[in-house]
Every structure is written in structure tokens, then in C-alpha cells.
Amino acid sequence: DYGDKVDNHNNIARLWSAYLDIKIEAHDVAIMMALLKMARTKLGAVSKDTYIDMAAYSAIAGEIKFKEKKQWIILLHKNN
């Protein structure tokens, strides 16, 4: 619904970075969103969507991390 998830998390990271005046990466956004979902489970009033979203943010974090590694490998091979 929100376009490419990596692009979306990069955009959120830029906005959070500007607001907090510290460097936030797309991977950080996904992890922090998963933590937000985990925090909601502590209060007891959760739905199935909470757990689905938690898993989805974790998967997005992994996708972002491994995409970053792949980009570094490609860049290293180009420079050699």
C-alpha cells in the first residue's frame, strides 16, 4: 500500500534523522517498529495484526540488511 518497503523505510529514516538530529538507517526504522509492536504486547490489549506486523517488520529489517550487504559486494567488485 505504501510503495517499495525499502524506499519507505529510507524515507522514514531521513525524517527521523532530521527530527532527532542523529543518523538513523532504514534498518533501524524496521527494528524500532518491531520493538513498538513488542511494546504493545506488554499492555495485553493486542490483536493478531500486532504479531503479524511484528513478524513483517522483522522480515523487512532482514531484507534491508541483506540488500545493503549485496550492494556493498557489487560495489567492491566494480572497484576491483
Side-chain angles (χ1 to χ4, degrees), residues 44-64:
V46 296
S47 68
K48 289 179 185 178
D49 286 340
T50 299
Y51 290 94
I52 293 168
D53 290 349
M54 202 178 343
Y57 282 121
S58 181
I60 291 167
E63 184 176 334
I64 290 167

Side-chain angles (χ1 to χ4, degrees), residues 4-13 24-33 56-72:
D4 181 80
K5 58 187 157 287
V6 176
D7 290 342
N8 186 38
H9 282 69
N10 278 318
N11 186 46
I12 294 167
I24 303 287
E25 302 287 341
H27 181 260
D28 300 320
V29 172
I31 294 296
M32 294 190 43
M33 293 302 292
Y57 282 121
S58 181
I60 291 167
E63 184 176 334
I64 290 167
K65 183 56 72 177
F66 290 109
K67 186 174 186 178
E68 289 171 355
K69 285 183 179 183
K70 184 177 180 182
Q71 289 172 343
W72 274 106

